[in-house]
Amino acid sequence: MNINTSNNHDNGEQDQKGVSKKRYMPLLLINYTCLFLGSVSSSLLSKYYFNHKGSNKWVSTWVQSAGFPFLLLPVFLPYYLFQCTQRKPFTRFTPRILSLSIFIGLMLGLNNLLFSWGNSYLPVSTSALLLSSQLVFNLILSAIMVKQKITFTNLNCVILLTLSSILLALGSNHDKPQDLTPTKYMIGFVATIGAGLLFALYLPIMEMIYKKVYCYAMMIEMQLVMELSATILASVGMVWDGGFTEMRKESKEVFDKGEGVYWVTMITNVVTWQLCFMGTAGTVFLTCSLTGGICMTALLGMNVLGGVLVYREDFGGVKIVSTVMCGWGFCSYVYGMYVNNHMMKLLDDHKQNINPSIEMAQPQPQPHSDLHLGLGV
């Protein structure tokens, strides 16, 4: 297999996504769908676990990454069973990429623990709105680490989401469950903000690493290693805290919906978390870290509505205003993206009309460009 990889990612998004639109759009839609289904359902299922007397934070952390064996299917089946690709799994998976994947996986495991800690104390709607603060960190870190351009629409979105979280914090005294102490509520509040910060750091780091990744299949392989590392970290915590023994006891004696429902909840939680993480990783790979953060923030509004509809959580004036501000900020960002893309298209058309011979003289895309969007064929 003779593949020229010397210019990988040299042309940025155009090289990565602009060559094979037929393959790019289906992949992007699939990742958006995984992100939507995974984010909403995993948040609701995690809360369902805690609402029905599940109490182990390490168990909730462990299920977020324990579904990594599902990723073995798209990694190995295309080459060994379907024989639809010439690329052998983990080809060009260098020691540096391996070490980075392990490090990011450990960071992801810590993020999962903070999320579980916050989700065990806070209502779904409050937790979702607090997590919207990750976009603030994401924009700042993206500007520093991947040179993301800060525009008026970016800044407007960040300000609105920040004010939304501050407003929620100021009005949170009336949102505490009756059996929750102020100390535990504050712990959940701080843990959720910490989870948002770590996730915001995770996104631009992944964008930087993906610049060294030349195909979609390698991205899945990296995700497999990261999820495995996060699972090992959570398993160590489970052993230290007696989590595996606690799961058996919890399913039979503690969980008030019965043992069968308990294990169904665990299994579906494992699956939905994998959908969420794969959708996030795929979105960052196919677009950029800021777009991934924006999509996650938009889905937080769905989590708020899900908490209200499924668990009958309070949705008073503070949450209404916070949700409206969150949606307003997201819409302003989407509009800014639309205007920017429209202007770039007009500029490209103008350049082609001025001197079409220059375009004809440009070298044709190398075969490796399609590898960004496929399984490494």
Side-chain angles (χ1 to χ4, degrees), residues 71 75 90 93 97-98 100-102 104-105 206 209-210 212-213 216-228:
L71 299 180
V75 168
F90 292 97
F93 205 88
I97 292 180
L98 177 62
L100 287 173
S101 299
I102 293 174
I104 299 301
M206 290 311 303
I209 296 176
Y210 285 159
K212 306 298 182 182
V213 174
Y216 189 84
M218 183 179 283
M219 184 275 294
I220 299 178
E221 293 161 0
M222 287 187 60
Q223 193 67 21
L224 173 63
V225 176
M226 288 189 290
E227 296 292 338
L228 175 60

Side-chain angles (χ1 to χ4, degrees), residues 35 107-108 111-112 114 131 134-135 137-138 141 192-206 273 276-277 280-281 284 289 292-297:
L35 180 57
M107 187 178 74
L108 189 62
N111 178 80
N112 294 343
L114 289 175
L131 284 172
Q134 62 90 15
L135 190 59
F137 307 130
N138 181 232
L141 294 173
T192 304
I193 293 293
L197 175 59
L198 269 180
F199 189 76
L201 179 62
Y202 160 81
L203 292 176
I205 288 179
M206 290 311 303
W273 273 114
C276 180
F277 285 129
T280 303
V284 173
S289 59
I294 291 291
C295 290
M296 287 297 296
T297 303

Side-chain angles (χ1 to χ4, degrees), residues 111-184:
N111 178 80
N112 294 343
L113 177 61
L114 289 175
F115 176 84
S116 298
W117 202 276
N119 205 35
S120 65
Y121 293 140
L122 301 179
V124 171
S125 52
T126 301
S127 177
L129 288 171
L130 282 177
L131 284 172
S132 66
S133 63
Q134 62 90 15
L135 190 59
V136 180
F137 307 130
N138 181 232
L139 178 61
I140 297 173
L141 294 173
S142 294
I144 296 173
M145 300 173 64
V146 295
K147 309 304 180 183
Q148 173 70 46
K149 184 179 180 180
I150 298 180
T151 63
F152 172 76
T153 53
N154 289 345
L155 192 59
N156 181 56
C157 180
V158 166
I159 291 175
L160 288 172
L161 291 175
T162 303
L163 291 176
S164 172
S165 298
I166 292 175
L167 181 63
L168 180 66
L170 294 176
S172 62
N173 289 333
H174 305 290
D175 194 32
K176 295 184 293 185
Q178 295 181 354
D179 58 344
L180 185 62
T181 64
T183 301
K184 289 184 177 180

Side-chain angles (χ1 to χ4, degrees), residues 328-340:
W328 182 8
F330 173 73
C331 290
S332 69
Y333 179 80
V334 172
Y335 177 74
M337 289 180 61
Y338 167 77
V339 171
N340 182 66

Side-chain angles (χ1 to χ4, degrees), residues 271-289:
V271 174
T272 54
W273 273 114
Q274 279 308 303
L275 289 175
C276 180
F277 285 129
M278 271 307 303
T280 303
T283 299
V284 173
F285 178 80
L286 294 170
T287 58
C288 67
S289 59

Side-chain angles (χ1 to χ4, degrees), residues 30-50:
I30 289 173
N31 281 279
Y32 280 160
T33 302
C34 290
L35 180 57
F36 173 80
L37 295 176
S39 176
V40 176
S41 54
S42 60
S43 178
L44 294 176
L45 285 169
S46 296
K47 193 63 184 179
Y48 183 84
Y49 166 76
F50 288 113

